[in-house]
Amino acid sequence: AEQAQINPEKLGENRVFFLPYLMGERSPINDTNARGTFIGMSMDTTRADLVLSVLEGVAFAIRDSFEVAKSLGIDIPTTKICGGGSKSPLWKQIFANVLGIPLQIVKTEQGPGYGGAMLAMVGCGQFETVHACAQALVEVADTVYPDQELVQRYNEAYGKFKQIYPACKDLFANMM
């Protein structure tokens, strides 16, 4: 019901941002004092704007790690998603556009448990490598492709998002 209220024209142009650091943040920030924060609200901010900012904020936080990998020369032409977030068409589209790459939806809804079982299979000699195991067991059910216009909008929004944590870092530390 909430997704129906989100105006597609707001994608990549939401003026409200959310830092999704509800329990601190791990890589690449590594700050246990970081906290969830809404910024940019005004009298015109709607509930849909806040919901959208949460969806986008999580995608931007994933992009932070994605950018670290890219800076190390790692090429990530596509990525996979499963579990709760993969059930939302809107969130899948946001992830594809924020990362700027195709997002493959895998058939299994199991994430960490499935990965743990795969590692155990490799450890027990069922497969020679993790890559071989993934090739054999991970099936793609669908792919969401980024929209280049939205990718550009989200690149600009991500530039703004990246400025929020450094501006709040000392505040978070002083609030604890």
Side-chain angles (χ1 to χ4, degrees), residues 4-176:
Q5 297 176 7
I6 293 174
N7 181 347
E9 292 181 13
K10 285 261 184 150
L11 296 179
E13 295 190 1
N14 193 2
R15 293 181 182 170
V16 179
F17 290 86
F18 177 67
L19 294 183
Y21 312 144
L22 299 176
M23 297 188 303
E25 179 65 342
R26 293 171 288 197
S27 181
I29 291 172
N30 296 318
D31 184 353
T32 58
N33 293 322
R35 289 295 178 261
T37 304
F38 285 101
I39 190 167
M41 292 183 289
S42 71
M43 292 294 293
D44 298 327
T45 298
T46 65
R47 182 176 182 163
D49 295 334
L50 294 172
V51 171
L52 180 58
S53 74
V54 170
L55 299 175
E56 292 172 335
V58 171
F60 288 144
I62 296 294
R63 180 162 171 185
D64 281 341
S65 293
F66 182 75
E67 291 297 326
V68 170
K70 283 174 42 178
S71 75
L72 296 172
I74 299 170
D75 181 38
I76 305 173
T78 187
T79 192
K80 293 177 174 56
I81 187 172
C82 64
S86 67
K87 294 178 183 174
S88 167
L90 176 62
W91 212 357
K92 289 185 286 193
Q93 193 64 60
I94 289 170
F95 267 106
N97 291 318
V98 166
L99 297 176
I101 58 175
L103 185 67
Q104 296 177 332
I105 297 84
V106 299
K107 283 188 179 178
T108 182
E109 290 187 16
Q110 304 305 315
Y114 198 68
M118 290 170 58
L119 291 174
M121 286 187 238
V122 173
C124 292
Q126 187 77 19
F127 292 94
E128 281 190 37
T129 65
V130 173
H131 180 73
C133 185
Q135 291 288 95
L137 299 179
V138 177
E139 295 181 63
V140 174
D142 194 14
T143 303
V144 175
Y145 294 92
D147 173 319
Q148 290 309 309
E149 181 181 331
L150 290 175
V151 167
Q152 189 56 41
R153 282 194 221 167
Y154 275 119
N155 283 339
E156 293 171 21
Y158 178 66
K160 294 174 185 174
F161 175 85
K162 288 193 315 185
Q163 297 175 51
I164 300 168
Y165 169 75
C168 296
K169 181 179 179 176
D170 290 341
L171 294 172
F172 291 140
N174 291 330
M175 291 170 61
M176 297 314 230

